[in-house]
Each structure stands twice: as structure tokens, then as C-alpha cells.
Amino acid sequence: THTHTAMALYPWSRAGKMLAKKAKMLPPAIPKWKILVGDKVEVLSGKDKGEQGIVRAIKRSQNKVYVEGANLHRRYIPPQGEQPGGMYTSEAPLHYSDVALLDPVTNRPTRVRWDYDADGNKVRIAVSSGRTIQKPLVWERRDAAVRASYKDAQCDTSKAALEQVTYSPSVLTFAEEILGPADKPNTQ
């Protein structure tokens, strides 16, 4: 607690500087994300500049995007149990500002704005061509099954059991329902 007090009062002190190094500051979050998982994007800067790929994952808390085949790095992983160790290649995250969505018409990077279509749905519009950028199928289906293709299993509740009326409301009090209409309690 003493170091926290020193940090709060004297950030230039030795204890304050050490605490500041330990505390990891997260960058300010981007309020309106226009890039979604499954979008086709192009890398704008870095060693993979100009490379196109599909967004595999997003870390919104850190403003990071994982793009398939971009920003690859090799890492040594020691053997764990039956899995052999060795050098493995994986994708490192890219900052949100280092990638741009591709225009559906020209297949070039473009800026994006949000707008509403004729039906009132919120859609993404490519600024360069004015065309709508569709949401990827991964985004449309967050659950594993599509309702139209789902088939009832043995453990599912049958339709007849769902439609069966099991409760009929009444205006009787709880005591009247329990005792019955003949055995009304004497409340006088």
C-alpha cells in the first residue's frame, strides 16, 4: 500500500516509477469497429505491406487484429506431454489502424463508413465506390447450428409437450387454492 501511495503522490519517485512500469496501460478502445471476423483486409504497413488476408480473430480490448498469413513469426515451444516441441509459425496481431477493408468492386483498400440501407438495417459502405460491404457469414452465424437445418434430437422437448397447458390462472388466493373452495379459512 505504501508504494501505491507513493505512485499516487509522487510519480517521479523511485517507487512511483517502478509501479508505473509494472502497471500495464491498455490503449484507449476504438468505439466503433468497422472490421469484423471473416472480413477480407489488406495490410497497410509493416513487413507484410500490401498483403491481403482474412481476419481470423479480433482483440477489441487491445485494438488488435489477427490476419491469416500476415505478420507471421516463429516461436520455440518446448515439448509438453505427448506433443513434441520445436519451432512453430503463428500469426502475430496487427494494430487496427495497420489494416484496411477491401472495396468489393476494386479489391483495393478503402475507408468505411456506417449508413442505413432502404430497409433500415445498419450497413458498412465503402467510401471509394459507395458500394455496400456485406457482413461475413462468420459474423451472421454466431451459433453452431442454423435454425432451418436443425433436427430434433431425443433429448429435446417435443412440440406436443410445449403446447400442453400446465397452468390455468385463477383469482383465488394461495390458501383458497390449497384448501379448496369448500374449506375456506375463517377470516372473521
Side-chain angles (χ1 to χ4, degrees), residues 152-171:
D152 287 339
Q154 184 180 6
C155 60
D156 290 333
T157 307
S158 67
K159 191 172 183 178
L162 286 174
E163 292 173 350
Q164 181 183 1
V165 178
T166 58
Y167 175 75
S168 57
S170 67
V171 291

Side-chain angles (χ1 to χ4, degrees), residues 36-40 54-55 124 133-146:
L36 307 173
V37 174
D39 277 333
K40 193 168 181 185
I54 295 175
V55 175
R124 299 175 297 170
I133 300 174
Q134 298 296 326
K135 288 184 180 177
L137 293 176
V138 176
W139 181 259
E140 294 290 338
R141 259 188 42 213
R142 287 192 172 191
D143 57 343
V146 178

Side-chain angles (χ1 to χ4, degrees):
T1 59
H2 180 67
T3 56
H4 294 286
T5 309
M7 172 61 184
L9 297 176
Y10 311 109
W12 60 84
S13 68
R14 183 170 180 244
K17 287 179 184 175
M18 288 175 59
L19 193 63
K21 284 181 184 177
K22 287 183 182 178
K24 235 184 182 178
M25 298 296 291
L26 290 175
I30 295 171
K32 296 179 182 176
W33 278 66
K34 296 170 185 159
I35 297 174
L36 307 173
V37 174
D39 277 333
K40 193 168 181 185
V41 295
E42 183 171 319
V43 180
L44 299 177
S45 64
K47 64 179 183 176
D48 294 324
K49 181 178 179 178
E51 195 169 314
Q52 295 181 357
I54 295 175
V55 175
R56 190 175 56 83
I58 290 176
K59 271 191 178 177
R60 289 183 186 235
S61 63
Q62 297 178 2
N63 301 331
K64 300 287 183 178
V65 176
Y66 291 86
V67 180
E68 285 182 9
N71 202 22
L72 297 175
H73 69 280
R74 292 178 55 81
R75 176 176 289 163
Y76 174 75
I77 298 177
Q80 297 175 355
E82 296 179 12
Q83 185 175 0
M87 296 296 288
Y88 290 96
T89 303
S90 64
E91 294 137 357
L94 292 162
H95 192 265
Y96 177 85
S97 63
D98 292 339
V99 295
L101 273 171
L102 295 178
D103 191 319
V105 177
T106 62
N107 209 26
R108 300 284 307 141
T110 181
R111 290 181 301 144
V112 179
R113 65 182 169 83
W114 287 102
D115 205 352
Y116 293 93
D117 63 359
D119 298 330
N121 299 324
K122 196 172 183 181
V123 294
R124 299 175 297 170
I125 306 291
V127 173
S128 59
S129 67
R131 301 293 291 269
T132 301
I133 300 174
Q134 298 296 326
K135 288 184 180 177
L137 293 176
V138 176
W139 181 259
E140 294 290 338
R141 259 188 42 213
R142 287 192 172 191
D143 57 343
V146 178
R147 290 185 185 189
S149 66
Y150 184 76
K151 295 184 177 104
D152 287 339
Q154 184 180 6
C155 60
D156 290 333
T157 307
S158 67
K159 191 172 183 178
L162 286 174
E163 292 173 350
Q164 181 183 1
V165 178
T166 58
Y167 175 75
S168 57
S170 67
V171 291
L172 300 174
T173 64
F174 179 73
E176 290 173 345
E177 280 188 28
I178 298 296
L179 297 174
D183 302 327
K184 288 188 180 179
N186 190 2
T187 56
Q188 295 176 354

